Amino acid sequence: KPLREVLFFPVPVTCIEPVLSPMKQCSCPLPHTDSAFSRLLVQLLGAQRSLELCVFTFSSPSLARALLILHRRDVRVRVITDNDYMAAPGSQIGPLRSAGVAVRHDQSSGYMHHKFAVVDGTVVLTGSLNWTVQAFQSNKENILITDDTVIVKAYQKEFERLWEEYDPA
Amino acid sequence: KPLREVLFFPVPVTCIEPVLSPMKQCSCPLPHTDSAFSRLLVQLLGAQRSLELCVFTFSSPSLARALLILHRRDVRVRVITDNDYMAAPGSQIGPLRSAGVAVRHDQSSGYMHHKFAVVDGTVVLTGSLNWTVQAFQSNKENILITDDTVIVKAYQKEFERLWEEYDPA
Ligand SMILES: [Zn+2]
Ligand SMILES: [Zn+2]
């Protein structure tokens, strides 16, 4: 049955420990309920082989944790981001690079403004939001999730094209 | 056969008169070829009954012209935008309102950051780009176009929800 789901934001803050550390019991005061944000994390953490991420700004610590979990599981994680914001205060790009995640960035005056991810070459998540806490908690935003082959192939191809274009070598 | 197409930007500047004024012959020096931008215009101008647009910033004169063409054809055009940018220099929101297009906006400190449109309640266009000249000509951006019923209904419902939420009355 085809996967097609749209997540809308903002959402109230909930605890995401059940998603990031399912083996532990969490007793923090936040609600331990599902939300569009936990749905997003579940989709990303489902990656078994590869995660390609193309995102303008990335400052969400929870999403960085999710990528590091995948990286430690030997999922191939590749990130493309915008050169104008990757060194901004709170950016997670530096910490991800230090942890060994492969990151490339544009070098142009125009923005690398995409906000999409491809999971295992079979699912695409694309939408309006950058990976910032403000986007998830304060803005009106959307993420479309689909496994439609035509759509997934188009985004995967665009990722590979940009990955080569931004090769620093 | 299902409609599913992904447009990628930036694209070189081409003449869009063949799309906006198909009855006239244009002899300007720009290339008169198809592009992702003309594909977007064609999809929007295909509206017969309604166009719902939810966009953070809107400064593209060509896209404003497309909306005015629909408005004059008695297509019901409704626009939701962000209060922080609608009065910015170059914004098309004022001119669209003056021409009689229905516009509502958020009143919150968070951004109304969506960038989607629903055509005739049957096709959704959603992506990373604001409706600015920079987005189409300089940035790396994407727009996904689909007529998948589940997806279209989700965006339509979100539009109607926000339209009520932003009712100034
Ligand atoms: Zn907790
Ligand atoms: Zn021309």
Side-chain angles (χ1 to χ4, degrees):
Chain A
K1 142 162 173 289
L3 172 63
R4 45 193 183 173
E5 183 177 355
V6 189
L7 306 177
F8 290 102
F9 299 87
V11 287
V13 183
T14 59
C15 177
I16 49 152
E17 293 305 320
V19 176
L20 293 178
S21 315
M23 306 310 271
K24 289 190 198 155
Q25 193 72 20
C26 183
S27 54
C28 82
L30 290 172
H32 290 81
T33 49
D34 281 343
S35 75
F37 188 64
S38 66
R39 288 286 305 136
L40 169 65
L41 285 169
V42 166
Q43 285 293 334
L44 296 170
L45 290 168
Q48 300 288 322
R49 296 187 313 277
S50 61
L51 179 76
E52 282 80 49
L53 171 66
C54 212
V55 71
F56 179 51
T57 56
F58 188 164
S59 59
S60 160
S62 304
L63 284 161
R65 268 181 71 194
L67 262 57
L68 290 177
I69 289 170
L70 293 177
H71 179 66
R72 275 186 230 112
R73 269 192 217 150
D74 288 327
V75 172
R76 185 187 187 200
V77 178
R78 290 183 290 166
V79 178
I80 292 177
T81 192
D82 185 79
N83 64 336
D84 295 305
Y85 285 88
M86 64 186 186
S91 172
Q92 296 292 330
I93 296 298
L96 286 168
R97 268 197 166 137
S98 302
V101 172
V103 178
R104 291 185 183 177
H105 59 83
D106 76 319
Q107 336 227 0
S108 56
S109 57
Y111 289 142
M112 199 311 294
H113 203 244
H114 288 305
K115 305 104 171 40
F116 70 82
V118 182
V119 178
D120 287 340
T122 54
V123 172
V124 77
L125 302 95
T126 183
S128 62
L129 44 10
N130 295 299
W131 284 26
T132 67
V133 173
Q134 160 161 346
F136 297 109
Q137 294 181 4
S138 305
N139 292 355
K140 300 288 194 287
E141 307 267 12
N142 69 85
I143 298 179
L144 189 160
I145 307 176
T146 179
D147 62 359
D148 182 284
T149 314
V150 171
I151 293 172
V152 175
K153 275 190 204 297
Y155 282 98
Q156 182 85 51
K157 190 178 161 193
E158 175 73 355
F159 184 91
E160 301 299 345
R161 197 183 68 76
L162 294 178
W163 188 256
E164 290 314 311
E165 182 178 334
Y166 299 154
D167 186 348
Chain B
K1 139 162 175 289
L3 172 64
R4 46 194 182 170
E5 182 178 354
V6 189
L7 306 177
F8 290 103
F9 300 86
V11 287
V13 182
T14 59
C15 176
I16 49 150
E17 293 305 321
V19 177
L20 293 178
S21 316
M23 306 310 272
K24 289 190 199 154
Q25 194 71 21
C26 183
S27 55
C28 82
L30 290 173
H32 291 81
T33 48
D34 281 342
S35 75
F37 189 63
S38 65
R39 289 284 307 136
L40 169 65
L41 285 168
V42 166
Q43 285 293 332
L44 296 171
L45 289 167
Q48 301 287 323
R49 297 186 314 276
S50 60
L51 180 76
E52 282 81 48
L53 171 65
C54 212
V55 70
F56 179 50
T57 57
F58 187 163
S59 58
S60 159
S62 305
L63 285 161
R65 267 181 72 194
L67 261 57
L68 289 176
I69 289 170
L70 293 177
H71 179 64
R72 275 187 231 110
R73 270 192 217 150
D74 288 329
V75 172
R76 184 186 188 202
V77 178
R78 291 183 290 166
V79 178
I80 292 176
T81 192
D82 185 79
N83 64 335
D84 295 306
Y85 285 89
M86 65 186 185
S91 174
Q92 297 291 331
I93 296 298
L96 286 167
R97 268 197 166 137
S98 302
V101 173
V103 178
R104 292 185 181 176
H105 58 83
D106 75 320
Q107 334 227 3
S108 56
S109 57
Y111 289 143
M112 198 313 294
H113 203 244
H114 287 304
K115 308 106 173 32
F116 70 81
V118 182
V119 178
D120 286 340
T122 53
V123 172
V124 76
L125 303 94
T126 184
S128 63
L129 42 17
N130 295 299
W131 283 27
T132 68
V133 173
Q134 161 162 346
F136 297 108
Q137 294 182 3
S138 305
N139 292 355
K140 299 290 193 289
E141 306 267 13
N142 70 86
I143 298 180
L144 189 160
I145 306 175
T146 179
D147 63 359
D148 182 285
T149 313
V150 171
I151 293 172
V152 175
K153 274 188 204 299
Y155 283 97
Q156 182 85 51
K157 188 176 162 195
E158 175 73 356
F159 183 91
E160 301 299 345
R161 197 182 68 75
L162 294 178
W163 188 255
E164 292 312 312
E165 182 178 335
Y166 299 154
D167 186 349

